[in-house]
Amino acid sequence: MATASSSAGGGGGGGSGGVASAAGRLAVDGAKATANATSRSVVMLSTYVAQNPTSVKFICCLLGLALSVASVLSMFNLIGNEEAHEKWDRSRTMQSAYIFFFGMVIVFCELREEWANKGCELQVKLFRYFYFLATQPGRAVFYFYVGSVSLLMWPESDLWKWIYLSLGGALCLLGAIMIGLRCLQCCRGEAPDEPQASA
């Protein structure tokens, strides 16, 4: 009787060991499946990025670059008069810094994928963590926002006032054009959210 119960106890210990090893194998298989799914989702992200027409991409890159350059020039008063720069306060300096950053984001959103992702894959990370920039409506609203911030920045200098008005107005117009392109796709019955091949 004692031997029967001890053999039963030994069998029970082996059974729990088998359950533990099966659970371990399942955990490892689950981790591998998660890693595979994550790598596939990164690849899928690049195929779901909305691509603008080449002319719109070119204009967006130029506007983003011009906005960044203008904000640096105005921040450090490299062009303009001293009297107007004396009235320049910290909030306008911060606005210029934000506009510089947003201009560079616009450039990296619209650059060709192979150019923007050289080195540290900046465009991939930008679209992964700020997914609204990977969609046409999200990018259009972002451009409209940056344009409106630029429009509302009223420096004392007439030169900078016209520069920010023209760049901000152009970005707002570009955002409206991108929304129009999206609506045109929807009206034609095209599915704008289908994956497109990356160029």
Side-chain angles (χ1 to χ4, degrees):
M1 193 83 147
T3 56
S5 66
S6 67
S7 69
S16 67
V19 171
S21 68
R25 279 194 305 265
L26 283 175
V28 168
D29 290 342
K32 286 180 183 177
T34 302
N36 288 337
T38 302
S39 66
R40 278 194 311 260
S41 68
V42 169
V43 172
M44 291 297 289
L45 178 67
S46 67
T47 61
Y48 278 100
V49 172
Q51 298 294 328
N52 287 322
T54 306
S55 58
V56 174
K57 289 178 101 165
F58 180 72
I59 293 169
C60 287
C61 278
L62 281 181
L63 283 174
L65 195 58
L67 201 58
S68 292
V69 168
S71 64
V72 167
L73 290 175
S74 67
M75 199 176 350
F76 296 112
N77 195 29
L78 298 177
I79 298 175
N81 57 7
E82 283 296 319
E83 294 173 8
H85 193 66
E86 288 174 3
K87 296 179 182 176
W88 195 264
D89 56 355
R90 289 185 184 163
S91 65
R92 289 203 177 144
T93 303
M94 283 303 295
Q95 264 185 316
S96 292
Y98 284 131
I99 289 175
F100 167 79
F101 176 71
F102 290 155
M104 294 311 296
V105 167
I106 290 171
V107 169
F108 277 102
C109 281
E110 299 296 344
L111 269 180
R112 292 181 66 180
E113 188 177 346
E114 54 269 7
W115 294 350
N117 290 326
K118 279 192 178 179
C120 62
E121 296 186 340
L122 190 60
Q123 193 180 60
V124 170
K125 290 176 183 172
L126 189 69
F127 290 156
R128 184 184 313 143
Y129 294 117
F130 303 100
Y131 182 71
F132 68 96
L133 292 173
T135 66
Q136 200 169 24
R139 233 184 277 173
V141 170
F142 177 71
Y143 293 172
F144 197 83
Y145 168 74
V146 175
S148 64
V149 168
S150 301
L151 278 173
L152 296 176
M153 196 166 161
W154 283 89
E156 297 294 323
S157 169
D158 288 337
L159 172 69
W160 288 115
K161 195 177 293 184
W162 285 109
I163 288 173
Y164 279 118
L165 278 173
S166 60
L167 289 174
L171 271 175
C172 286
L173 180 65
L174 202 57
I177 287 172
M178 288 171 65
I179 291 290
L181 287 172
R182 170 69 179 218
C183 291
L184 190 63
Q185 278 182 330
C186 292
C187 289
R188 287 183 180 169
E190 299 173 9
D193 290 332
E194 287 182 1
Q196 299 176 0
S198 303

